[in-house]
């Protein structure tokens, strides 16, 4: 996926320090990603990418240095203002699935009435990742499925320009979960049209017996292999946090050490990221 480590990009005396007028991340501190699908994407990045460069990328994302960000099937193109006057070009690529693959995926999603209903209502059910996995077509890219390039001279990987774009991409996913599917090659409206067509073909009375069934058996869930080890507090990241505080501290921040101790009783917990 990456390049061998080389010296960092040298500092240039004309590097601008004033605020930039590009795209700005909404998050002002900590990590990014508010919904389960964007957090899943960020968790993968933080597993396979250098944390120091990702941290500098967050700073770039928050300071308006990403000037453009365009998402197309299998491709993200962006321009990022770095230390030189000319912005750097960033390209991020994954596999966009073809019509045959999407036909299989759409049939698998439509076969579960509850998933289909949630998608038609504009929701992204967490179980959708299992459906993709069962079809042998991962929803999110891993290290082998993510190709990234930047025109900057920094050979460290990923550079801060790439990292900034990745974090802003996660916030785009926050705004519209169907962008995750569009990046894989299926526009939102096309998917919804296909799901409605399948729904119209099957009388509702014939779907009552399976409407509330789980999409994956409990035995299958117990033996589902994990492609990327999930953080101990993944449930807290996935669910919308309750508006509850104790001594002005959000309840989710207080629960994270307990979740970590459940995974490893020897772990006394660590500060929330």
């Amino acid at each position: 996926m990456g390049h061998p480590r080389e010296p960092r990009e040298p500092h240039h005396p004309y590097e601008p320090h004033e605020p930039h007028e590009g795209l700005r991340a909404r998050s002002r501190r900590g990590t990014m990603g508010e919904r389960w699908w964007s957090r899943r994407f960020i968790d993968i990045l933080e597993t396979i990418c250098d944390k120091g460069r990702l941290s500098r990328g967050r700073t770039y994302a928050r300071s308006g240095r990403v000037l453009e960000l365009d998402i197309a099937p299998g491709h993200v193109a962006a321009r990022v203002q770095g230390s030189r006057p000319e912005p750097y070009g960033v390209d991020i690529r994954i596999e966009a699935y073809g019509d045959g693959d999407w036909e299989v995926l759409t049939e698998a999603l439509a076969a579960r009435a509850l998933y289909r209903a949630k998608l038609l209502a504009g929701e992204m059910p967490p179980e959708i990742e299992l459906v993709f996995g069962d079809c042998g077509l991962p929803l999110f890219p891993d290290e082998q499925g993510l190709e990234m390039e930047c025109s900057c001279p920094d050979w460290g990987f990923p550079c801060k320009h790439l990292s900034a774009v990745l974090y802003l991409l996660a916030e785009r996913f926050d705004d519209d979960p169907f962008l995750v599917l569009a990046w894989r090659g299926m526009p939102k409206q096309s998917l919804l049209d296909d799901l409605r067509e399948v729904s119209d073909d099957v009388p509702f009375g014939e779907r009552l017996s399976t409407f509330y069934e789980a999409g994956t058996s409990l035995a299958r869930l117990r033996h589902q292999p994990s492609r990327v080890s999930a953080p101990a507090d993944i449930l807290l990241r996935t669910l919308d946090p309750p508006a509850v505080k104790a001594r002005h501290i959000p309840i989710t921040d207080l629960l994270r050490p307990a979740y970590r101790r459940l995974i490893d009783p020897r772990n006394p917990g660590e500060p929330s990221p």
Side-chain angles (χ1 to χ4, degrees), residues 7 51 99 123 147 150 202 205:
K51 295 190 185 319
D99 292 342
E123 301 177 23
E147 298 181 6
C150 179
V202 181

Side-chain angles (χ1 to χ4, degrees), residues 94-164:
I94 63 171
E95 180 185 359
Y97 299 139
D99 292 342
D101 290 334
W102 271 109
E103 183 176 352
V104 172
L105 288 167
T106 302
E107 289 179 356
L109 292 170
R112 308 314 308 168
L114 188 57
Y115 300 172
R116 181 174 64 241
K118 286 186 175 182
L119 288 167
L120 290 173
E123 301 177 23
M124 183 71 75
E127 300 87 353
I128 191 174
E129 191 173 2
L130 291 175
V131 176
F132 273 70
D134 287 344
C135 294
L137 301 165
L139 176 59
F140 297 101
D142 58 12
E143 184 173 2
Q144 286 71 41
L146 195 61
E147 298 181 6
M148 302 186 286
E149 293 183 358
C150 179
S151 63
C152 78
D154 185 352
W155 281 34
F157 199 80
C159 64
K160 52 186 172 288
H161 316 106
L162 275 165
S163 300

